[in-house]
Amino acid sequence: MKKNLRSQLLASHILTAAVMLSVMMGAVFSLFHLGGSIERIVQDNYKSVEAVLRMNEALERMESAANYFLAGASDRARIQFETSAQRFTEAHRTEANNITEDGEMQMSSEVESRFDAYVRDMRRLMDASSPMPPRDAYGLYKARLRPGYDALKARVHDILVLNQNAILRADARAKAEAQRASWLAMAGTLAALLVAAAISIGMVRSALTPLLDIAARADEIGAGKLDQHIEADRTDEIGVLAGAVNRMAARLREARDAEERRVH
């Protein structure tokens, strides 16, 4: 297959573009893969965070219901408590079905057991079939309900912090990976540029060295040294030029020989 300088230069440019495209595609793939992984992590943790916030809100309303009851608004207290307890249960079910972090399952189980104990004490307080004297009701609240509420809320908060920290770690990891991908992309681009430079230098040398040789031989021919011959084993433009110089030298030798024969 005949090759010329144009096709060789085009091939070198295509190779350089292919190297740089590979680097860019690698960086893009890495970022997309990272983005998908981080997005899944954040979505899972955010789902747990939302559930825990609903649990916390429901828990505060249950505590408020206890205060309403102690203040004498028993009917309102019972309705608010039952509604809030149902909301807490639903939110906790969402969180328990979305365990993502080490230790979260144990925390969730502890929340469930503490919540069950808290609900039992609240229903004992609000039992309409066997009303407590105010002094006993307040004693139960102070001895069991308030401490149970505080312990339960603290454990719910622990789950919240656990998932929030996971989101922060995912964010930090995403930033670190993005920075690493940027450095890799820059390193790859630099490598591609070095490859392109090496190819360009090789092409220049491939073209310039024989051209300089042809120019030197042409100078020799111009100085009268007509026995010059350039090895022309190339099929590109340089080979064509070398062949033309060889033919010119041959014609000049023939003309010189003919002139010498005529003179003698």
XYZ file of all heavy atoms in Angstrom, residues 12 31 119 121 143 161 177 210 260:
66
model
N -1.048 9.954 12.366
C -0.518 10.407 13.661
C -1.544 11.249 14.403
O -1.704 11.131 15.620
C 0.776 11.198 13.456
O 0.520 12.439 12.822
N -16.313 9.386 36.551
C -17.160 10.356 37.241
C -18.619 9.905 37.266
O -19.305 10.050 38.280
C -17.038 11.721 36.563
C -15.697 12.447 36.774
C -15.645 13.717 35.939
C -15.494 12.778 38.245
N -44.927 3.157 75.080
C -46.348 3.087 74.737
C -47.134 2.381 75.851
O -48.246 2.808 76.214
C -46.536 2.372 73.385
C -48.011 2.021 73.156
C -46.033 3.258 72.251
N -46.444 2.307 79.017
C -46.574 3.230 80.150
C -47.581 4.338 79.847
O -48.350 4.748 80.727
C -45.211 3.834 80.493
C -44.281 2.820 81.144
O -44.788 1.849 81.741
O -43.048 2.997 81.048
N -41.405 9.166 87.000
C -40.534 8.012 87.245
C -40.246 7.210 85.979
O -39.146 6.659 85.826
C -41.168 7.104 88.303
N -27.946 10.974 63.603
C -26.539 11.375 63.475
C -25.766 10.362 62.633
O -24.931 10.733 61.797
C -25.900 11.531 64.867
C -24.391 11.731 64.749
C -26.523 12.701 65.613
N -12.864 11.711 45.248
C -12.821 10.944 44.005
C -12.863 11.861 42.787
O -12.211 11.595 41.777
C -13.994 9.958 43.963
C -13.867 8.793 44.926
C -12.713 7.876 44.570
O -12.374 7.781 43.378
O -12.129 7.271 45.486
N 15.771 12.589 5.683
C 16.023 12.319 4.256
C 16.016 13.586 3.402
O 16.735 13.665 2.397
C 14.887 11.370 3.860
C 13.838 11.554 4.889
C 14.547 11.896 6.148
N 32.183 15.215 -23.087
C 33.583 14.784 -23.070
C 33.919 13.994 -24.323
O 35.011 14.141 -24.900
C 33.847 13.944 -21.812
C 33.865 14.769 -20.531
C 34.085 13.904 -19.307
O 34.060 12.647 -19.453
O 34.252 14.458 -18.195
